[in-house]
């Protein structure tokens, strides 16, 4: 099974990120990110997405997005 995340706003609008069942990916601007975004409002390690057992978990990477 595959999950697709669609960026709907910002500098990376229109980008689609594909995540496979069993994946754990980091989304951010930093070099260690699995999926790198260019928007300066995105933290270097913005969030982690886990996709296992048909369940998707989104874990905040310490971003300032909600502050």
């Amino acid at each position: 099974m595959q999950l697709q995340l669609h960026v709907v706003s910002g500098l990376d609008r229109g980008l689609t990120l594909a995540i496979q069942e069993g994946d754990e990916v980091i989304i951010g601007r930093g070099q260690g990110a699995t999926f790198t975004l260019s928007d300066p409002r995105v933290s270097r390690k913005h969030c982690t997405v886990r996709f296992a057992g048909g369940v998707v978990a989104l874990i905040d990477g310490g971003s300032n997005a909600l502050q």
Side-chain angles (χ1 to χ4, degrees):
M1 180 185 278
Q2 183 182 53
L3 170 72
Q4 292 187 342
L5 299 176
H6 300 280
V7 180
V8 298
S9 66
L11 295 176
D12 299 294
R13 182 180 180 177
L15 182 66
T16 298
L17 312 172
I19 302 174
Q20 300 296 324
E21 175 80 28
D23 281 356
E24 179 173 306
V25 299
I26 298 170
I27 298 173
R29 287 187 290 111
Q31 291 179 330
T34 310
F35 293 119
T36 305
L37 300 176
S38 59
D39 195 317
R41 294 174 292 177
V42 173
S43 296
R44 286 184 293 277
K45 182 180 177 186
H46 202 78
C47 65
T48 300
V49 180
R50 289 187 190 140
F51 182 28
V55 176
V56 178
L58 179 68
I59 301 100
D60 182 27
S63 67
N64 292 322
L66 299 176
Q67 298 179 3

